């Protein structure tokens, strides 16, 4: 865990400092950061003689470097000392609507800031491949690396790599060793659930995304807490996979839940599957059950019935990522706000029948 002091330096959480290197016996930037009591980003700024580090902090980092006899990667040092005008982008996982559009927004913002983007994509997350691609980008002299991936394992893998350049990620959970940008999934899920509660629903179910997804976990937490705050029952969610087919299977299971009057579905694709299953079973939406989705994909307005959902501004998210990169590289100060999904009311929700 890290905090930022008034001077903008990133400080490590209070832990007992240790001069012992990691399991490999070769000291890393993270060992230096731990001994000096700062983040690895601050160590990187000291190594590359960048501004924004207090003299006392710089001395502490330099002493830790000397005590550990730490030598940074020559390739990373050479890259960091020489501006390349290039940013690395790593994408891991299926090309779903949200990550794909966030990547597009980032690419457009990077071009607008005068940067080129070197990109690597992988459909299935593999730790070794992700590590290799990160090092390949460093050898291409990128000034920073951006990760867009929904699975927490990808964030953990990249955050643990000592590459010598700033790392920025889109992540709805804590990202150790990285600068994090996100849309507030928890707040969005609470708003979706509170919308149903406000309509009078008291038995509200949830179709959750995959267990490894950070967004799915935050949306589940928001739904759970909204129900608890209203004194309503929390029934174990039905697990989905972000796909319409998974939503269809979840919908068939929900058909037998005669007490449920509303469903908060973890994304719009699964909501489409739930609507299909309900239609096949003769369940009327919203007459029998109301449905809220998440994302507001372009097709959501054309579902039958049109879907009430939470709109995420993925283009703005991509711009926020690039603004963070520019900020981290010390070229400009950028003001950003915490973004919260917007409720888009359509015909799939209504008050429950008496």
């Amino acid at each position: 865990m890290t905090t930022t002091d008034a001077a903008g330096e990133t400080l490590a959480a209070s832990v007992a400092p240790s001069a012992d290197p990691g399991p490999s016996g070769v000291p890393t930037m993270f060992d230096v950061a731990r001994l000096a009591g700062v983040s690895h980003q601050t160590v990187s700024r000291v190594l590359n003689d960048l501004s924004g580090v207090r003299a006392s902090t710089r001395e502490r980092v330099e002493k830790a470097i000397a005590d550990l006899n730490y030598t940074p990667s020559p390739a990373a040092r050479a890259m960091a000392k020489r501006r390349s005008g290039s940013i690395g982008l790593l994408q891991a996982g299926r090309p779903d609507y949200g990550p794909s559009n966030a990547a597009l927004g980032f690419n457009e913002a990077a071009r607008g800031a005068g940067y080129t983007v070197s990109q690597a994509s992988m459909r299935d997350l593999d730790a070794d491949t992700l590590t290799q691609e990160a090092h390949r980008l460093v050898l291409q002299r990128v000034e920073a690396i951006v990760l867009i991936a929904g699975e927490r394992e990808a964030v953990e893998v990249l955050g643990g790599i000592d590459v010598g350049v700033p790392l920025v990620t889109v992540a709805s959970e804590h990202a150790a060793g990285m600068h994090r940008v996100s849309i507030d999934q928890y707040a969005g899920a609470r708003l979706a659930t509170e919308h149903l509660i406000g309509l009078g629903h008291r038995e509200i179910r949830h179709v959750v995304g995959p267990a490894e997804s950070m967004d799915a976990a935050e949306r589940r937490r928001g739904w759970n807490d909204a129900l608890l705050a209203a004194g309503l029952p929390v029934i174990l969610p039905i697990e989905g996979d972000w796909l319409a087919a998974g939503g269809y299977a979840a919908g068939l299971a929900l058909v037998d839940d005669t007490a449920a009057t509303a469903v908060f579905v973890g994304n719009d694709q699964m909501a489409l599957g739930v609507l299909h299953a309900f239609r096949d079973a003769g369940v009327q939406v919203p007459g029998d059950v109301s449905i809220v989705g998440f994302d507001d994909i372009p097709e959501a307005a054309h579902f039958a019935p049109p879907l009430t959902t939470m709109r995420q501004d993925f283009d703005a998210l991509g711009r926020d990522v690039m603004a963070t990169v520019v900020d981290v590289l010390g070229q400009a100060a950028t003001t950003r706000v915490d973004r919260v999904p917007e409720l888009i009311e359509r015909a799939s929700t209504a008050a429950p029948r008496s």
Side-chain angles (χ1 to χ4, degrees):
M1 179 177 178
T2 60
T3 57
T4 304
D5 73 0
E9 294 175 9
T10 308
L11 309 175
S14 179
V15 295
S18 169
D20 295 331
S24 67
V26 178
T28 69
M29 185 185 296
F30 294 95
D31 297 320
V32 174
R34 184 167 57 251
L35 181 59
V38 299
S39 74
H40 83 277
Q41 290 95 342
T42 298
V43 175
S44 178
R45 297 186 74 84
V46 172
L47 288 169
N48 298 310
D49 198 26
L50 298 177
S51 61
V53 182
R54 288 175 174 169
S56 59
T57 302
R58 188 179 296 273
E59 290 175 4
R60 196 163 70 248
V61 171
E62 290 173 345
K63 183 178 185 303
I65 290 170
D67 289 346
L68 289 170
N69 194 27
Y70 168 68
T71 303
S73 161
R77 286 299 302 275
M79 182 285 307
K81 288 292 187 180
R82 183 179 174 189
R83 289 288 310 281
S84 66
S86 178
I87 305 297
L89 173 60
L90 291 171
Q91 287 185 269
R94 287 194 311 259
D96 291 329
Y97 176 77
S100 296
N101 280 272
L104 286 173
F106 165 74
N107 273 278
E108 291 174 354
R111 285 195 297 273
Y115 283 87
T116 60
V117 177
S118 296
Q119 187 165 334
S121 301
M122 58 205 74
R123 184 178 297 274
D124 297 314
L125 175 62
D126 176 80
D128 290 339
T129 302
L130 186 62
T131 301
Q132 291 168 8
E133 291 296 336
H135 286 298
R136 182 182 64 80
L137 289 172
V138 169
L139 292 175
Q140 293 179 10
R141 297 174 41 249
V142 297
E143 296 184 36
I145 294 176
V146 170
L147 172 69
I148 298 180
E151 298 181 14
R152 62 178 59 85
E153 182 185 356
V155 174
E156 293 168 355
V157 169
L158 190 60
I161 300 174
D162 184 3
V163 293
V165 300
L167 302 174
V168 178
T169 186
V170 174
S172 52
E173 296 178 352
H174 175 67
M178 307 181 74
H179 300 273
R180 185 172 69 91
V181 182
S182 69
I183 296 176
D184 195 334
Q185 306 297 310
Y186 172 83
R190 286 204 67 152
L191 286 172
T193 309
E194 288 166 356
H195 167 66
L196 293 169
I197 294 171
L199 290 172
H201 294 280
R202 296 297 177 263
E203 295 285 347
I204 303 169
R205 306 298 184 249
H206 181 39
V207 179
V208 67
E212 64 273 13
S213 167
M214 295 177 287
D215 288 353
E218 284 298 285
R219 293 172 197 174
R220 175 178 180 173
R221 191 168 67 89
W223 162 80
N224 183 89
D225 287 359
L227 292 181
L228 291 178
L232 298 178
V234 178
I235 306 299
L236 189 67
I238 298 176
E239 187 169 333
D241 57 4
W242 291 145
L243 301 177
Y248 185 84
L252 293 179
L254 286 165
V255 166
D256 296 327
D257 187 351
T258 56
T261 64
V263 184
F264 167 45
V265 186
N267 75 339
D268 290 349
Q269 285 91 343
M270 291 194 299
L272 175 61
V274 173
L275 285 168
H276 184 186
F278 280 1
R279 183 173 65 249
D280 286 354
V283 177
Q284 296 183 4
V285 177
D288 298 320
V289 181
S290 287
I291 296 179
V292 176
F294 211 100
D295 285 340
D296 193 29
I297 62 175
E299 298 82 4
H302 305 285
F303 288 1
L307 183 67
T308 296
T309 185
M310 302 303 301
R311 175 178 294 166
Q312 301 200 79
D313 192 339
F314 294 111
D315 183 68
L317 176 62
R319 294 195 303 271
D320 286 348
V321 171
M322 187 59 210
T324 301
V325 170
V326 171
D327 201 11
V328 169
L329 292 175
Q331 297 180 13
T334 305
T335 300
R336 288 175 298 282
V337 297
D338 293 331
R339 300 187 186 276
V340 176
E342 175 190 3
L343 176 68
I344 305 299
E345 292 188 57
R346 298 192 179 103
S348 69
T349 54
R353 288 177 175 170
S354 301

